[in-house]
Amino acid sequence: MAGQPNRLSIIDSMRGFSLLGILLANMLIFQYGIWGKDEMAVYSLSQVDSITKTLLHIFVEGSFMPIFTFLFGFGMINMQESLAAKGLKPKRYLGRRFLLLLAFGIAHGTYLWEGDILVFYGGMGLFLLLFMNRKAKTLLIVGALLLGLFGLLGLAPESTNHLSTMEDKIRMETYVKDTFTIYGTGTYEEIKHHRNTADPLGLNEYLIITMMLFAPLMTAPLFIFGMYAAKKQWFREPDNVRAVYLKRMLIFLPIGVLLKVAKTVFPDYGWSEMGEMIGSNLLSLGYIFAFALCYVSAKSSPWLLRFEAVGKLSLTNYLLQSVIGTTIFYGYGLGWFGKMGVVAGCGLALIIYLGQLFISRWYLTHFTFGPVERVLRMWTYLSFNGKANGVRYEK
């Protein structure tokens, strides 16, 4: 997110690392659909695939995307400081940036893949402009309060209307089966029509609007913690705070894992739902500090340079993953939807990511920005060279 001179290698490397977990989680969506991945009984998984799916749920799903959101908030503050140092107005440039992310996301979700997150990030970026000038302490308090409130949603009672619950279950099962057929054998137009028109939830428009209004508050904690971390310069001099990283890793990792495991072991208890919601975010923080510790301990490793390269090209790599995934699994490509299996899907994700590690590193030896990153920078700065100093009239 930050301007090129103000980039931190540890942040780019961490962003690249998070894309591995995001791809592993997204591979379930590529293979089974965004709703089908939680209705795996339809696919009759093998025991090995079922165990792997459980492990992915505990260690990956819901805990790597928050790393990306944390880094989004961190980068937002870095970019604000960089623009302010040039005498420019940060909100103007950030606002343009987030609007283009929204546009990318709408196009991505409409024409390519249902698992798009760019609309979410663009919208959240605009929402977070409200917090950009707040003090670090204020951000910490707000983030902690929202995380607690988010966790309390897990205590919300389930519907006691048996008939309504059965109707919802039948609707979802029908949708998943239709998706399996259409995504696996359909044409591009048939898949796009199903993705954009089929409704597996049957929610009324008022409930949808209410959910959209509350979504920023429910998903804001890690964004805000990232903004707090940037203001407190957590990663500015990583060599000097190795002990801090170790201490926080040892706190957040085990707590996060235990809370997520509890949901798997005690699925029928309301408190386990709350624990999983909070645990997903705490595990993300544990991963962040674990990676920071690894970064400090293995600075000379060529693999960190490859992680950094993937992170610098994160938007291009994310969209490329969508192109590869949909081409492999959808009917207009190889048509492997629902046929590969969870374990094989993880193997495929690792192969794709390994390729991105090496290709991204090679690409950056020839070019400064990724193709999508360049377009985003050109629009953000209204400059053909994609640099803030090209906007002379605002200096």
Side-chain angles (χ1 to χ4, degrees):
M1 288 290 296
Q4 198 73 359
N6 198 39
R7 298 192 83 110
L8 295 176
S9 294
I10 187 173
I11 295 300
D12 282 323
S13 299
M14 196 180 298
R15 185 179 291 112
F17 167 70
S18 71
L19 271 179
L20 171 58
I22 290 170
L23 178 57
L24 285 168
N26 285 347
M27 190 56 66
L28 294 172
I29 303 177
F30 290 133
Q31 289 197 78
Y32 303 107
I34 197 164
W35 300 106
K37 72 179 182 66
D38 296 319
E39 303 291 332
M40 300 302 278
V42 176
Y43 295 95
S44 302
L45 296 184
S46 68
Q47 185 176 8
V48 173
D49 277 343
S50 296
I51 293 172
T52 304
K53 173 66 169 63
T54 300
L55 292 175
L56 284 173
H57 183 73
I58 294 171
F59 293 102
V60 177
E61 287 188 281
S63 292
F64 271 82
M65 188 61 72
I67 299 176
F68 216 75
T69 63
F70 177 96
L71 298 175
F72 186 95
F74 189 100
M76 183 176 172
I77 296 301
N78 260 18
M79 188 171 175
Q80 177 200 21
E81 293 172 350
S82 178
L83 290 167
K86 294 180 174 70
L88 304 175
K89 298 179 179 180
K91 287 187 177 180
R92 181 176 301 179
Y93 293 91
L94 287 166
R96 277 201 296 263
R97 187 180 185 86
F98 300 146
L99 285 173
L100 187 55
L101 277 180
L102 269 171
F104 281 157
I106 292 171
H108 181 224
T110 301
Y111 298 103
L112 186 60
W113 186 51
E114 61 194 356
D116 173 74
I117 59 168
L118 300 181
V119 168
F120 166 67
Y121 277 101
M124 280 302 301
L126 294 172
F127 172 73
L128 291 170
L129 291 175
L130 299 172
F131 298 90
M132 193 169 64
N133 295 321
R134 303 284 79 82
K135 294 179 179 179
K137 184 178 180 180
T138 302
L139 292 174
L140 180 61
I141 293 172
V142 171
L145 287 175
L146 289 177
L147 181 60
L149 290 173
F150 174 57
L152 289 176
L153 290 177
L155 296 178
E158 296 185 3
S159 173
T160 56
N161 188 330
H162 181 70
L163 180 61
S164 176
T165 301
M166 286 299 298
E167 289 176 350
D168 291 342
K169 185 176 180 179
I170 292 172
R171 182 189 297 111
M172 179 61 74
E173 188 172 315
T174 301
Y175 171 85
V176 171
K177 289 180 178 178
D178 289 344
T179 300
F180 174 77
T181 301
I182 295 170
Y183 279 23
T185 62
T187 64
Y188 172 80
E189 284 298 328
E190 289 171 339
I191 292 171
K192 181 166 75 72
H193 181 265
H194 180 74
R195 178 173 60 242
N196 295 327
T197 60
D199 178 15
L201 300 179
L203 301 177
N204 65 64
E205 59 183 22
Y206 299 107
L207 183 57
I208 293 174
I209 292 173
T210 302
M211 291 171 63
M212 291 177 65
L213 290 174
F214 279 95
L217 296 177
M218 293 188 292
T219 56
L222 264 290
F223 285 101
I224 293 176
F225 288 151
M227 297 169 75
Y228 169 81
K231 287 179 180 284
K232 300 298 287 186
Q233 300 188 350
W234 277 6
F235 304 105
R236 184 67 60 179
E237 297 179 347
D239 290 318
N240 298 334
V241 287
R242 183 196 301 251
V244 175
Y245 295 156
L246 176 61
K247 180 181 178 180
R248 291 173 179 172
M249 179 193 75
L250 293 176
I251 293 173
F252 290 117
L253 267 183
I255 294 176
V257 170
L258 286 173
L259 288 174
K260 293 192 76 176
V261 167
K263 173 60 179 175
T264 302
V265 178
F266 307 104
D268 298 326
Y269 291 85
W271 59 265
S272 69
E273 187 78 31
M274 178 181 69
E276 183 182 47
M277 289 181 173
I278 296 176
S280 295
N281 289 280
L282 296 184
L283 183 56
S284 299
L285 292 173
Y287 285 150
I288 287 168
F289 292 118
F291 185 87
L293 186 63
C294 291
Y295 179 91
V296 173
S297 303
K299 257 188 170 182
S300 59
S301 171
W303 288 99
L304 286 178
L305 294 176
R306 296 182 184 112
F307 280 126
E308 182 181 353
V310 171
K312 286 182 176 181
L313 305 178
S314 58
L315 185 53
T316 295
N317 278 319
Y318 167 72
L319 293 173
L320 185 58
Q321 289 172 2
S322 295
V323 173
I324 295 171
T326 53
T327 301
I328 290 173
F329 293 105
Y330 287 5
Y332 55 79
L334 297 179
W336 289 357
F337 190 86
K339 299 174 182 177
M340 180 176 284
V342 179
V343 174
C346 289
L348 176 61
L350 292 174
I351 292 171
I352 293 171
Y353 185 79
L354 189 64
Q356 290 186 317
L357 282 174
F358 285 92
I359 293 172
S360 297
R361 179 65 180 153
W362 171 86
Y363 180 93
L364 287 177
T365 63
H366 296 80
F367 305 96
T368 305
F369 307 113
V372 185
E373 286 79 7
R374 176 169 286 280
V375 172
L376 185 61
R377 292 179 67 91
M378 289 170 63
W379 169 255
T380 298
Y381 300 118
L382 297 181
S383 159
F384 283 111
N385 64 11
K387 296 180 180 179
N389 58 14
V391 191
R392 300 180 181 279
Y393 62 85
E394 289 191 4
K395 281 191 174 182

